[in-house]
Amino acid sequence: GAVVSQHPSRVICKSGTSVKIECRSLDFQATTMFWYRQFPKKSLMLMATSNEGSKATYEQGVEKDKFLINHASLTLSTLTVTSAHPEDSSFYICSASGGRLGSSYEQYFGPGTRLTVT
Amino acid sequence: QKEVEQNSGPLSVPEGAIASLNCTYSDRVSQSFFWYRQYSGKSPELIMSIYSNGDKEDGRFTAQLNKASQYVSLLIRDSQPSDSATYLCAVNKGRDDKIIFGKGTRLHILP
């Protein structure tokens, strides 16, 4: 099956610092990667869509200067939360898709990163 | 109207019975349909995809799609306590890679 890894699984950082989260597709080439955020007992919220080699497309209300996304290769995307604040504490989850040539838009999720900003 | 609607539950089903989860979607052009399972504190896991009208079976799971009624369902046979989770219905419209998620139905299998 399609495997997506995410690192780190858990991070605690101080307010004002930046945190980078990596997302890798391990056994397929991901034409598109997605970043989601999920607060406790709430729905998944799509933050942005990224395609390899191009700028990410952010959903309405998501600050692109705060959540920097880089999709450097077909197997790696990173999300950097800049100048983190306690309200950024959440569960960040990436997913990867092989697109039309893959499995008809199936998205495979990484295990998630739990960010706590103190 | 929400794009993908699900009853939030919780849906309580006795162990060994059939659990039936339902989902409706608003955009008639939607082409691909997915069911994800999410355990508390974990990320979603894809359990079924369905693309054409009718039933698709995989082990204890059966996905059903009715495009005319804009309805997709998931049946879980011989429900087990380990099936207790939130089930997310998701839809792709075919215009881009994004899939639209419903808010999920919490399923509780009673031992």
Side-chain angles (χ1 to χ4, degrees), chain B:
Chain B
Q1 185 185 10
K2 293 177 186 166
E3 292 195 78
V4 180
E5 292 207 61
Q6 296 180 255
N7 189 316
S8 62
L11 173 66
S12 295
V13 173
E15 183 176 357
I18 296 175
S20 177
L21 303 158
N22 304 315
C23 172
T24 57
Y25 59 95
S26 61
D27 195 332
R28 193 169 284 278
V29 302
S30 300
Q31 298 185 356
S32 307
F33 306 86
F34 311 96
W35 282 99
Y36 286 82
R37 176 176 63 199
Q38 186 175 23
Y39 292 112
S40 181
K42 302 294 186 183
S43 65
E45 174 193 7
L46 178 65
I47 53 173
M48 289 288 282
S49 306
I50 187 165
Y51 309 105
S52 53
N53 278 328
D55 295 1
K56 179 182 176 184
E57 189 174 315
D58 183 0
R60 295 187 297 112
F61 299 100
T62 298
Q64 298 175 316
L65 175 61
N66 183 326
K67 288 188 178 181
S69 300
Q70 295 176 230
Y71 178 92
V72 58
S73 65
L74 179 71
L75 302 178
I76 307 174
R77 287 181 299 283
D78 187 24
S79 297
Q80 304 296 310
S82 59
D83 295 327
S84 297
T86 296
Y87 288 80
L88 304 170
C89 173
V91 172
N92 175 274
K93 298 180 184 179
R95 299 191 195 110
D96 55 31
D97 288 356
K98 282 199 291 190
I99 57 177
I100 312 299
F101 284 88
K103 293 189 181 298
T105 299
R106 281 189 296 131
L107 175 65
H108 184 206
I109 305 301
L110 303 168

Side-chain angles (χ1 to χ4, degrees), chain A:
Chain A
V3 180
V4 177
S5 71
Q6 209 172 320
H7 178 79
S9 58
R10 194 176 287 267
V11 58
I12 301 172
C13 71
K14 291 187 188 294
S15 189
T17 60
S18 295
V19 173
K20 180 187 279 190
I21 302 169
E22 287 190 353
C23 177
R24 293 180 186 272
S25 58
L26 298 184
D27 55 358
F28 70 104
Q29 292 189 325
T31 51
T32 310
M33 286 185 168
F34 304 84
W35 287 95
Y36 294 83
R37 182 163 62 176
Q38 188 173 36
F39 293 106
K41 299 192 187 302
K42 298 293 185 185
S43 307
L44 280 174
M45 187 194 87
L46 178 65
M47 299 174 68
T49 303
S50 76
N51 293 290
E52 182 260 342
S54 61
K55 287 184 181 179
T57 302
Y58 290 81
E59 295 298 302
Q60 192 171 11
V62 178
E63 299 175 60
K64 62 181 180 182
D65 294 331
K66 181 169 184 63
F67 299 100
L68 301 178
I69 292 171
N70 183 274
H71 194 156
S73 74
L74 282 172
T75 59
L76 173 64
S77 176
T78 60
L79 167 69
T80 301
V81 183
T82 62
S83 186
H85 290 286
E87 58 266 31
D88 298 323
S89 299
S90 189
F91 191 40
Y92 291 86
I93 318 172
C94 73
S95 70
S97 168
R100 188 187 297 275
L101 297 178
S103 301
S104 299
Y105 305 113
E106 289 177 350
Q107 285 185 27
Y108 298 92
F109 284 84
T113 297
R114 197 163 299 282
L115 171 64
T116 304
V117 185
T118 60

